[in-house]
Amino acid sequence: MQKLLPRLLSNPPKHSFSYFFSHSFSKTTYDPPFSPISKPPKPKPKPPDLTPNRNPTPIKSSLPFDFRHSYSETDPTLEPIGFRKPKRFSPFGPGRLDREWTGTSAPVRDQLDSCLVEEESIQVLGDPLTEEEIEELVEKHRHSDCARQTNLGKNGVTHNMLDDIHNHWKRAEAVRIKCLGVPTLDMDNVCFQLEEKSGGKIIYRHINILILYWGRNYDPQNRPVIPLMLWKPYPPIYPKLVKNIADGLTFEETKEMRNRGLHSPALMKLMRNGVYVNVVARVREAFETEEVIRLDCIHVGKSDCKRIDVKLRDLAPCVPILFKDEQIILWRRKRDQERNSDISDANEKSSGQSLLDRLLVDSVAWKSHCC
């Protein structure tokens, strides 16, 4: 007996515990604490119906001018010599506009009567504002913390900016516009394009700050249809800005002028996205005593330097003879060339004076009160 007891303790029955658990818990009552809950299958999403988007209805706008990406920084009379992208790629999107994109603009299909358009704009402006009304609007919108503000950058008066202005006019009768960069070289052109394309009136102008008024009879519910550009179009290719030999000079004279300009002190140092309101006046004043001047544009950027060159060439006027290391060298031109250019400018002004008088005849009262 003593020999059998240690054997039984050393070899216990193998199936005693499994037999106990199998008889104490039945299969029907066993429920583990984290059993998965069966969920109904999610319905598969239906594929979107692309039938209405295949042939979208083109947007028709009654605005009486050609649609361009920028109205103040492009010259409609200057024809490009090439394009970086085919003309069929319209920035308005395929089939979204009833106008054809020519590579630089979307021209008006139906020519409208200019007299009728002018009468409608005058009717929207209504009677001129009184001095008290102007002072009240200026005091409300001229400060930097004004909620109704839009910025005008190096692209100038753009097409999509017009839609931004009309969106501000939904909730306020005036919008504050802060101008920076190259367009500030010619603020008169910026003001003209804003008034012509938006139909409003500028009632305040101080350096680079403008306040654009919507007019007494403006109805936000009947605002003009402005189709938006979905992307910025590629700029076309224009003739070379700086020629190897300047007009009126020989090769040796052009080389000498460039060396003189590079070694002369800089007239001004321009900063990126600055205010260039007084640059044209400074350049004209310097040309009274100097024949060649230099502008330091080291922090401006290459693309902005070319824009400055183009504007100074037409506004000063002058001839850009060198663009190197973001340094602009300008030549005054010869005196006989200046006289010929003044005579041609006078002829152009006399030929277009009748049209200008007709356009400004109805806004004399506005200018007397608002400017």
Side-chain angles (χ1 to χ4, degrees):
M1 189 66 182
Q2 293 178 356
K3 293 180 180 180
L4 292 175
L5 184 60
R7 291 181 182 178
L8 292 174
L9 294 175
S10 60
N11 298 320
K14 295 181 180 180
H15 303 288
S16 60
F17 292 103
S18 61
Y19 178 81
F20 172 75
F21 280 105
S22 64
H23 284 76
S24 59
F25 296 99
S26 63
K27 294 181 180 180
T28 57
T29 60
Y30 177 68
D31 184 16
F34 298 104
S35 59
I37 301 174
S38 60
K39 296 182 180 180
K42 294 182 179 180
K44 295 182 179 180
K46 296 182 180 180
D49 188 10
L50 301 178
T51 304
N53 294 331
R54 290 176 183 174
N55 297 318
T57 303
I59 301 174
K60 185 176 181 180
S61 179
S62 60
L63 292 174
F65 52 84
D66 300 345
F67 292 162
R68 293 177 171 269
H69 174 257
S70 177
Y71 298 105
S72 62
E73 303 307 302
T74 55
D75 188 3
T77 61
L78 186 60
E79 293 294 333
I81 60 176
F83 296 93
R84 293 181 173 88
K85 197 172 184 180
K87 299 179 183 179
R88 65 178 181 272
F89 294 106
S90 171
F92 295 96
R96 293 187 68 253
L97 187 64
D98 64 339
R99 304 184 183 187
E100 184 180 357
W101 181 254
T102 63
T104 56
S105 65
V108 181
R109 281 192 171 184
D110 302 327
Q111 295 294 334
L112 301 177
D113 188 5
S114 59
C115 297
L116 182 60
V117 173
E118 186 180 354
E119 290 177 1
E120 291 179 356
S121 62
I122 294 174
Q123 185 178 1
V124 171
L125 289 176
D127 297 332
L129 295 175
T130 62
E131 295 183 0
E132 291 78 10
E133 292 174 333
I134 293 176
E135 290 179 1
E136 182 180 356
L137 286 174
V138 168
E139 183 62 28
K140 183 179 179 181
H141 294 88
R142 72 181 179 88
H143 301 286
S144 59
D145 58 350
C146 176
R148 303 298 164 199
Q149 173 178 315
T150 182
N151 296 326
L152 188 145
K154 66 179 181 180
N155 292 323
V157 183
T158 60
H159 179 78
N160 289 358
M161 182 181 177
L162 301 178
D163 183 74
D164 192 16
I165 290 174
H166 285 280
N167 288 335
H168 281 295
W169 280 348
K170 287 182 180 179
R171 299 172 179 83
E173 54 189 348
V175 58
R176 182 178 186 264
I177 302 175
K178 184 178 180 180
C179 308
L180 294 174
V182 183
T184 57
L185 283 168
D186 191 3
M187 288 297 296
D188 294 336
N189 184 34
V190 170
C191 296
F192 173 75
Q193 296 295 340
L194 283 173
E195 291 184 347
E196 184 187 20
K197 300 303 185 294
S198 68
K201 191 67 182 178
I202 293 178
I203 60 175
Y204 176 79
R205 173 179 170 181
H206 179 67
I207 307 178
N208 65 321
I209 303 299
L210 306 174
I211 295 180
L212 187 63
Y213 175 64
W214 65 2
R216 289 189 183 273
N217 301 324
Y218 177 81
D219 185 8
Q221 302 300 328
N222 297 326
R223 54 175 289 181
V225 178
I226 304 176
L228 297 179
M229 285 190 178
L230 304 183
W231 61 82
K232 180 181 177 181
Y234 284 96
I237 302 172
Y238 290 100
K240 192 175 181 180
L241 177 62
V242 178
K243 299 180 180 180
N244 294 330
I245 302 176
D247 296 336
L249 295 177
T250 62
F251 177 77
E252 296 297 333
E253 291 175 342
T254 304
K255 185 177 180 180
E256 181 186 357
M257 290 289 181
R258 288 170 178 169
N259 291 330
R260 284 174 54 188
L262 286 174
H263 292 88
S264 63
L267 176 66
M268 297 180 67
K269 185 175 182 180
L270 306 182
M271 303 301 294
R272 188 177 183 84
N273 292 331
V275 181
Y276 311 140
V277 176
N278 61 339
V279 173
V280 176
R282 291 280 303 275
V283 169
R284 289 177 179 174
E285 183 181 357
F287 276 147
E288 294 179 359
T289 56
E290 300 292 336
E291 192 175 7
V292 182
I293 62 173
R294 178 172 68 92
L295 298 179
D296 187 1
C297 306
I298 192 68
H299 300 293
V300 173
K302 187 175 181 180
S303 61
D304 286 358
C305 285
K306 292 182 179 180
R307 297 170 186 261
I308 293 172
D309 265 355
V310 173
K311 283 190 173 291
L312 290 178
R313 179 191 62 183
D314 301 331
L315 297 174
C318 58
V319 178
I321 59 175
L322 183 61
F323 172 73
K324 182 179 179 181
D325 298 332
E326 297 184 0
Q327 304 291 318
I328 298 175
I329 310 300
L330 302 174
W331 175 46
R332 182 183 59 187
R333 296 186 302 180
K334 293 182 179 180
R335 294 300 183 182
D336 55 350
Q337 291 180 346
E338 293 180 2
R339 279 193 225 98
N340 295 333
S341 63
D342 294 340
I343 293 173
S344 61
D345 293 342
N347 293 333
E348 291 178 0
K349 289 181 181 179
S350 62
S351 62
Q353 189 65 31
S354 59
L355 178 61
L356 184 60
D357 292 341
R358 184 168 59 84
L359 292 175
L360 298 179
V361 118
D362 295 310
S363 59
V364 172
W366 269 93
K367 286 188 176 181
S368 61
H369 287 273
C370 302
C371 298

